[in-house]
Amino acid sequence: MKNKKPISSKFWIGISLKSRLILSFFLVANFAVLHAQNTISGKVRDSKTTENIIGATVSIKGTTEGTITDLNGTYTIKAPANAVLVVSYIGYENNEKAVNGAQTLNFLLKEEQNNLKEVVVVGYGVQKKANLTSSISTVSKEVFENKPVTNAAQALQGTTPGLVIQQGSNEPGQGTNINIRGIGTFQSGTYPLILIDGLVGSINDINPNDIENVSVLKDASSTAVYGSRAANGVILITTKMGKKGKTRVAYDYMFGFQAPTNMPKYAQAWEYAELRNEALINSGLPAKYAPDQINEFRKMGKGTIWLDELYRENAPQSSHNLSVEGGSETTTYHISVGHLDQRSLFEGNDEYGLKRNNARLSINSKLSDKFTVTASGAYNGTTTNEHAYWTEWLIEQATRIPVIYPVKDENGNYTLPSGSNSNALARLSEGGMRTFKSDGLMGSISAEWSIIKDLKLKGFFGANLSDNNSHEFRKSIDYAPYKGGGDNESSVKDAYDRTVLLNSTLTLNYNKKIGENHSFSGLLGLSDESSERRWFQARKIGIPGNEFGVLGNGEITDEANTYGSGEEWGIHSFFGRVNYAYKEKYLLEGNVRMDGSSRFASENRWGTFPSFSGGWRISKEEFMEPLKDYVSNLKLRASWGQVGNQDIGLYKYLRTVNIATQAYSFNDNVANGAYFSEANQDISWETSEMIDFGIDAGFFNNKLSFTLDLYSKDTKNILVNSLPVPGIYGSGSPTQNMGAINNKGWEFSVNYSFKTGKVNHSLTANLSDNVNEVTDDGGRSLISGYDVVTMLKKGQPINSYYALKSDGYFQNAQEVANGPKQTFNAAGAKPGDIRYVDRNGDGVINEAEDRFILGNPFPRYNYGLTYAANWNGLDLSIFIQGVGKRSMWIRGEAVEAFHNNNEGPVMDYHIDRWTPANPDASYPRLTIGSESANNAAKSDFWIEDASYLRLKNVQLGYTIPSRFTQQIGITKFRTYITGQNLFTLTKLKAGYDPEINSGAATSGRVYPVTRVLAIGLNVNF
């Protein structure tokens, strides 16, 4: 057997010599033809703009050989005559051409239109967008680029249905309020979980230019993998990573000016005097201003608007961003640095404002075919300088002072008019400064090992260190020659706060395709997260000479404001996910997470959070084949799941000892005391159960696409820590699981891309609504608030306004006599006063018995609309954002004339007040002091329509053709002009911004939203 020749050898011997020679010649000739190396060159350009594409990959199909295009979009490659060249570039469709012996091949690349090929970042991985069965919205990096915003949340506003972002204040250094699909709790945290490259972080600290994309996870199916911290939704931020190729440098610069918007408008000086006289007479008091004085006030015109004196007409804002990236086939890198400088609108000190420095580094290295390591690090440093007094105090005082008084007298001294004990501009100029400094370091390292073809093990370790320091030196102010003044106390306060967050995660991923029809993927993981925080504060009063503001110079220790403490928490988790797809047509997914949190007693420490979802891609069915040119995607999906909320504070299940400074007197000396907090060892998770039904559709090769979601979320076992208890109990109430809330709503988004001639257009719009209802109040309605009163009651939205209902004005004495008795002041109501509805019909208006539920502050019908176009290097984008329905209760000096017996304010809308000759006025009769009690009662008269439409951003840019710039080594040079918050339409009559959502906003004591006009440039090398 060992001497037996193989069949091939026998065949070769058996044929004739002549035949062998002919066959050998044929094989050699054929090999030479097939494998002759031709040199092919050409250009790669954009099919729309015909601009050269730099860095495109040109490769030989079926091999690893390739090259990239140079600064001119040109490539050169050696390839066999029968080869096929493949050209690829991020954001474009691949293009293939057969060589067929050609020496020149040019390529035109089309922008990627088929978004079904896209992948979406999900919890602990990515998934093909076409196969998603959850409700996830994605936002690309373009949303964050070239906008005059100071944090990423401002750029996100209005871009995603179901994501509600509101400013609490626009003052430099202030953050935003973020909600996803409503508010699902009474007193626990409502902020979504935000992860930056897998690590918990702040959306306010990251440089918007570092963001590659954002995924907003909204339903329980997408968020359940985050378990106990996912009830408020999850936002996943992915930063930019390096791409292979030669080193590329990008520089972005922007400079602009801010200006205040939506400022209240005041009556002129002479109008003020006349209305003041009228209010005094209506209140049974003598007039103050004689006709001659009023005539003198006419010469003043509008007088001195103190609120305007606090703000600059404009304040500069600038940013610089520089990035460098590149790499080889095995290692890529991305480095970026950024600087933001935003000056405050407040007068008094040129140092007021925000400065932020960001730096980020990411490296990805493929150490072998099976092992990849990724490391990243980031630094953010923020310094915010502001006045040493609270913003609310400054605005409150300036709002109330009448326009007839100057800020400074003829000798340049700060005045103390109108019974005031301070001067807001003096506080800004001479009252000292408060400085906040924040330094954050975030770093992570991950390693991925391909154990076998379809199985990958990934380890991740990340750390986030945050140091927050503040220093306040409040100086005393001498108002001489004016007597009095309440700013005669100098003080120094220092505070320090450090948090260290650690996160370790291990995941095992399995992906397997069986045959042509079945696809499986699985995820198993475990994670440990821990946090340690320490903080302290000290304050001393009395700094001699108003100099050298350090604690050591203080004379008296402020015990109530000197303290320190610390806290720790940890969470241990196991999680998993399974996906199955049949022909990529029928889709199933299941998630589960088990969390053990230190926030609960050992008996209730663990919670399990499951979810299930499914999808049907109808467009893949055979019966849809005749419509494939029209319907490119049609998918139905549904999901169910449970998620939790652990954001209730720490140690609620333990009785802790608290120190009360100066709690009681002992031997004629003030002594400190200690007391125990109340505890409830049985408290457990708040659990939200959500169902979601969605439709994803695309038409005409996805040039037109839309998404529709309907959802309902029930939150149960809500944690409440301020239930009233009988006074005889002698202590407060422990935290309890009590109550339930339902949020239901819908979300709709649409995208449309089209072309007219050489102009490319795109239109993106979204609209969403959420309705909130308390479904279980624990058998007890909770009323809270003083100036703005809200109620928590079954069957009503959470934090609903609770007030009297107005019913026009009393027009004459007979109506007063015949109407319900309103005894808010001693004399009772008079003609021109607001009449209220007698809800219980007892003939007397009583707040305890006659109040109604009258709307709530949460916005409904949130919408955003973006139009973009480009033509021959010109590009234009217009972004409109708004709210279709919102109620805003405005109170105090923001709306009331002569609030709290002050001399002011008097706004322009107070001119249209009730008089016998003006019975249909928009404002009741003018009164002062106790006579105002009837009209100042808490009623819907002060609840206004805060819906609005805002021209949020407009941008016009021009990119110089690369054939001109490439000669000096620049691959892209773009200049642009942009504007933010350019125009607002609203019915809000008080002049304040309808977007602002904070306690200070209800009285108008809030820094204004700013309009920004800026120019910028983008340069790539």
Side-chain angles (χ1 to χ4, degrees):
M1 290 289 293
K2 77 174 187 178
N3 294 322
K4 186 175 181 179
K5 295 185 181 297
I7 294 176
S8 59
S9 299
K10 291 173 67 178
F11 171 78
W12 184 254
I13 294 172
I15 62 176
S16 66
L17 177 62
K18 181 179 180 180
S19 298
R20 278 184 281 167
L21 290 173
I22 293 172
L23 181 60
S24 298
F25 176 78
F26 175 79
L27 292 174
V28 170
N30 188 58
F31 181 86
V33 171
L34 291 178
H35 296 279
Q37 295 291 306
N38 295 337
T39 299
I40 303 113
S41 61
K43 279 197 171 188
V44 179
R45 293 178 294 172
D46 186 298
S47 63
K48 292 180 180 179
T49 65
T50 69
E51 293 293 326
N52 298 330
I53 297 179
I54 302 161
T57 300
V58 183
S59 60
I60 302 172
K61 189 173 183 179
T63 73
T64 59
E65 297 179 20
T67 185
I68 62 173
T69 56
D70 61 17
L71 293 175
N72 301 315
T74 301
Y75 74 93
T76 300
I77 191 171
K78 288 185 177 181
N82 67 331
V84 175
L85 296 187
V86 181
V87 180
S88 62
Y89 191 72
I90 295 172
Y92 290 82
E93 296 178 358
N94 290 355
N95 194 346
E96 298 183 5
K97 285 186 179 181
V99 174
N100 290 332
Q103 294 183 335
T104 302
L105 284 177
N106 296 319
F107 292 85
L108 293 175
L109 299 189
K110 295 180 179 180
E111 288 187 11
E112 179 69 74
Q113 294 292 333
N114 188 2
N115 59 10
L116 298 180
K117 295 180 181 179
E118 295 178 7
V119 294
V120 175
V121 177
V122 299
Y124 302 102
V126 296
Q127 289 184 9
K128 288 179 64 176
K129 186 174 183 178
N131 293 342
L132 280 179
T133 54
S134 305
S135 181
I136 299 177
S137 293
T138 59
V139 182
S140 64
K141 62 183 178 182
E142 288 76 17
V143 168
F144 305 96
E145 296 174 344
N146 306 323
K147 287 186 177 179
V149 296
T150 57
N151 62 60
Q154 293 173 349
L156 271 177
Q157 187 180 30
T159 62
T160 301
L163 177 66
V164 177
I165 298 177
Q166 296 172 285
Q167 285 284 146
S169 168
N170 212 53
E171 192 168 3
Q174 298 299 307
T176 52
N177 301 311
I178 302 178
N179 294 110
I180 298 176
R181 290 188 170 181
I183 297 175
T185 186
F186 296 161
Q187 296 170 344
S188 302
T190 61
Y191 211 75
L193 175 66
I194 296 177
L195 300 172
I196 302 173
D197 292 334
L199 193 61
V200 174
S202 170
I203 197 171
N204 298 316
D205 293 336
I206 188 171
N207 184 350
N209 271 51
D210 286 338
I211 295 175
E212 179 69 24
N213 60 65
V214 172
S215 291
V216 182
L217 282 53
K218 296 182 285 190
D219 67 339
S221 175
S222 60
T223 61
V225 74
Y226 293 106
S228 64
R229 292 178 292 173
N232 299 316
V234 180
I235 296 177
L236 305 179
I237 299 175
T238 303
T239 61
K240 295 176 180 177
M241 299 289 289
K243 300 176 180 64
K244 67 180 180 180
K246 67 174 189 175
T247 300
R248 298 174 294 279
V249 179
Y251 172 68
D252 302 306
Y253 172 70
M254 184 186 299
F255 179 82
F257 287 100
Q258 313 161 74
T261 66
N262 294 76
M263 297 290 288
K265 297 177 177 60
Y266 285 75
Q268 296 190 67
W270 67 270
E271 292 173 318
Y272 164 79
E274 286 192 344
L275 296 183
R276 175 70 174 174
N277 281 348
E278 183 178 316
L280 288 167
I281 293 170
N282 287 343
S283 304
L285 300 170
K288 181 175 182 178
Y289 301 106
D292 289 345
Q293 289 177 291
I294 295 176
N295 287 332
E296 287 298 316
F297 290 146
R298 288 181 185 274
K299 299 176 183 178
M300 295 176 60
K302 66 178 183 179
T304 302
I305 300 176
W306 281 58
L307 199 57
D308 288 351
E309 295 294 315
L310 299 189
Y311 302 117
R312 305 172 188 268
E313 291 186 5
N314 55 68
Q317 175 179 316
S318 63
S319 65
H320 302 262
N321 291 282
L322 178 69
S323 66
V324 181
E325 70 171 18
S328 63
E329 292 290 334
T330 57
T331 302
T332 60
Y333 62 89
H334 182 93
I335 305 170
S336 67
V337 292
H339 174 73
L340 171 72
D341 189 346
Q342 181 192 20
R343 284 272 297 277
S344 172
L345 285 172
F346 275 126
E347 292 278 9
N349 193 321
D350 290 340
E351 294 298 315
Y352 291 156
L354 164 71
K355 291 184 179 180
R356 185 181 67 216
N357 296 305
N358 292 88
R360 182 171 291 272
L361 167 66
S362 63
I363 300 175
N364 180 274
S365 185
K366 188 176 182 180
L367 302 182
S368 69
D369 290 339
K370 291 190 174 184
F371 199 75
T372 302
V373 176
T374 301
S376 66
Y379 165 78
N380 70 274
T382 301
T383 300
T384 305
N385 291 323
E386 63 181 33
H387 45 84
Y389 291 82
W390 300 114
T391 297
E392 292 181 44
W393 297 358
L394 300 173
I395 297 175
E396 172 195 31
Q397 188 261 2
T399 301
R400 294 181 178 185
I401 295 181
V403 298
I404 62 173
Y405 297 112
V407 176
K408 291 183 178 181
D409 62 22
E410 61 275 8
N411 297 317
N413 300 308
Y414 290 104
T415 62
L416 288 175
S418 190
S420 175
N421 67 348
S422 66
N423 182 303
L425 195 59
R427 286 178 164 182
L428 288 170
S429 301
E430 300 182 3
M433 184 183 289
R434 182 186 302 115
T435 299
F436 296 97
K437 287 189 176 181
S438 173
D439 293 286
L441 286 172
M442 179 183 289
S444 66
I445 185 168
S446 64
E448 186 175 83
W449 174 33
S450 296
I451 302 173
I452 56 176
K453 178 182 178 182
D454 301 313
L455 186 64
K456 294 181 179 180
L457 180 67
K458 183 176 182 179
F460 172 90
F461 175 77
N464 194 340
L465 169 65
S466 175
D467 276 345
N468 297 285
N469 302 278
S470 67
H471 172 74
E472 176 189 285
F473 179 19
R474 182 176 295 175
K475 297 183 178 182
S476 60
I477 302 173
D478 184 2
Y479 286 107
Y482 298 93
K483 295 181 179 180
D487 300 329
N488 50 13
E489 181 181 87
S490 59
S491 65
V492 171
K493 181 172 67 175
D494 281 312
Y496 174 80
D497 193 334
R498 165 175 281 193
T499 301
V500 179
L501 177 70
L502 302 177
N503 186 353
S504 301
T505 305
L506 187 67
T507 57
L508 190 65
N509 281 275
Y510 180 72
N511 292 276
K512 183 69 175 178
K513 188 169 185 179
I514 302 176
E516 293 296 322
N517 298 330
H518 304 279
S519 298
F520 296 88
S521 66
L523 167 73
L524 289 176
L526 58 90
S527 71
D528 273 297
E529 190 168 348
S530 63
S531 174
E532 181 178 332
R533 180 187 174 204
R534 295 290 182 270
W535 72 91
F536 62 82
Q537 174 180 293
R539 183 174 186 262
K540 282 198 171 184
I541 301 169
I543 309 300
N546 268 347
E547 297 293 338
F548 306 109
V550 294
L551 283 173
N553 285 346
E555 297 175 340
I556 303 172
T557 299
D558 181 358
E559 295 284 351
N561 285 291
T562 299
Y563 54 82
S565 189
E567 61 187 30
E568 298 178 4
W569 61 265
I571 186 168
H572 186 69
S573 308
F574 302 93
F575 53 88
R577 177 170 57 228
V578 176
N579 293 85
Y580 169 72
Y582 176 69
K583 292 185 176 181
E584 290 196 338
K585 183 192 306 181
Y586 308 116
L587 313 168
L588 294 173
E589 179 178 308
N591 290 271
V592 66
R593 181 170 178 129
M594 295 180 63
D595 279 336
S597 173
S598 64
R599 298 175 189 246
F600 302 96
S602 56
E603 296 82 3
N604 301 308
R605 183 153 292 170
W606 286 90
T608 302
F609 306 95
S611 75
F612 304 96
S613 60
W616 176 26
R617 293 183 63 189
I618 302 174
S619 53
K620 300 282 282 186
E621 297 287 359
E622 291 184 5
F623 61 78
M624 293 294 291
E625 187 68 20
L627 300 175
K628 65 179 182 180
D629 292 336
Y630 306 99
V631 181
S632 42
N633 177 44
L634 182 60
K635 178 173 65 177
L636 300 180
R637 49 184 168 77
S639 68
W640 170 92
Q642 293 181 338
V643 286
N645 186 3
Q646 66 149 16
D647 192 7
I648 62 167
L650 304 178
Y651 318 124
K652 297 293 184 180
Y653 70 95
L654 295 173
R655 298 195 73 190
T656 57
V657 179
N658 298 277
I659 303 298
T661 58
Q662 302 177 357
Y664 61 94
S665 177
F666 185 76
N667 285 340
D668 295 328
N669 294 314
V670 177
N672 296 337
Y675 62 93
F676 285 94
S677 66
E678 294 301 319
N680 178 5
Q681 290 194 342
D682 296 326
I683 58 173
S684 184
W685 311 97
E686 292 184 353
T687 302
S688 294
E689 182 174 313
M690 184 185 295
I691 57 173
D692 184 286
F693 298 96
I695 302 174
D696 300 323
F699 306 93
F700 315 114
N701 195 29
N702 287 306
K703 290 181 179 179
L704 173 65
S705 61
F706 76 82
T707 297
L708 174 66
D709 277 272
L710 306 174
Y711 65 87
S712 179
K713 179 172 71 172
D714 287 294
T715 305
K716 302 176 182 178
N717 297 321
I718 292 175
L719 291 158
V720 180
N721 57 20
S722 60
L723 288 173
V725 295
I728 196 173
Y729 180 64
S731 183
S733 63
T735 301
Q736 302 177 47
N737 289 104
M738 181 215 76
I741 296 175
N742 173 264
N743 281 275
K744 60 171 61 75
W746 52 268
E747 300 165 356
F748 176 76
S749 62
V750 61
N751 298 275
Y752 180 44
S753 299
F754 60 99
K755 189 173 183 179
T756 57
K758 294 185 178 181
V759 182
N760 299 293
H761 310 263
S762 68
L763 189 66
T764 302
N766 69 82
L767 175 66
S768 61
D769 185 32
N770 177 273
V771 178
N772 176 287
E773 180 184 343
V774 177
T775 53
D776 182 2
D777 59 11
R780 180 178 295 174
S781 299
L782 297 178
I783 300 173
S784 58
Y786 177 74
D787 291 321
V788 173
V789 181
T790 60
M791 170 176 273
L792 191 153
K793 183 179 181 181
K794 183 177 180 180
Q796 299 294 334
I798 189 172
N799 294 332
S800 293
Y801 292 140
Y802 192 46
L804 299 172
K805 183 181 290 187
S806 59
D807 186 25
Y809 306 124
F810 290 113
Q811 297 293 348
N812 51 56
Q814 185 176 0
E815 286 190 7
V816 174
N818 295 335
K821 303 302 179 185
Q822 300 183 183
T823 56
F824 297 99
N825 51 35
K830 293 180 181 179
D833 283 347
I834 300 171
R835 177 172 50 200
Y836 302 110
V837 175
D838 184 9
R839 182 182 179 187
N840 64 359
D842 64 356
V844 177
I845 300 299
N846 187 311
E847 282 192 336
E849 305 293 336
D850 292 315
R851 287 180 288 186
F852 292 79
I853 291 177
L854 300 163
N856 66 86
F858 198 79
R860 294 184 59 186
Y861 308 116
N862 296 271
Y863 59 86
L865 174 67
T866 301
Y867 168 75
N870 64 75
W871 172 78
N872 283 350
L874 280 172
D875 60 87
L876 171 69
S877 66
I878 301 172
F879 176 38
I880 295 171
Q881 178 264 334
V883 169
K885 183 179 181 180
R886 183 182 177 225
S887 297
M888 187 172 180
W889 188 335
I890 306 179
R891 56 154 299 273
E893 67 276 349
V895 288
E896 297 175 31
F898 314 112
H899 173 66
N900 279 357
N901 204 25
N902 289 283
E903 287 193 54
V906 175
M907 308 294 186
D908 63 341
Y909 54 83
H910 293 143
I911 296 172
D912 183 26
R913 75 285 183 196
W914 185 95
T915 65
N918 187 28
D920 298 322
S922 60
Y923 194 83
R925 71 185 180 107
L926 295 175
T927 52
I928 285 175
S930 61
E931 191 73 11
S932 301
N934 186 89
N935 295 332
K938 301 173 182 63
S939 76
D940 67 344
F941 188 87
W942 309 110
I943 300 176
E944 299 188 20
D945 181 354
S947 60
Y948 68 92
L949 179 150
R950 172 166 287 157
L951 183 56
K952 196 71 177 177
N953 184 268
V954 175
Q955 187 172 150
L956 177 64
Y958 178 67
T959 302
I960 299 175
S962 60
R963 62 180 179 272
F964 300 121
T965 60
Q966 65 189 12
Q967 300 178 22
I968 56 174
I970 296 177
T971 59
K972 177 184 178 181
F973 190 97
R974 176 179 180 267
T975 61
Y976 63 91
I977 182 171
T978 184
Q980 189 83 356
N981 299 326
L982 294 177
F983 180 70
T984 303
L985 287 176
T986 181
K987 295 180 180 178
L988 199 65
K989 68 182 182 182
Y992 298 102
D993 195 274
E995 177 191 331
I996 297 296
N997 179 25
S998 67
T1002 61
S1003 57
R1005 302 170 190 170
V1006 67
Y1007 187 94
V1009 168
T1010 56
R1011 177 188 301 111
V1012 184
L1013 290 174
I1015 58 173
L1017 61 87
N1018 312 125
V1019 184
N1020 293 358
F1021 302 90

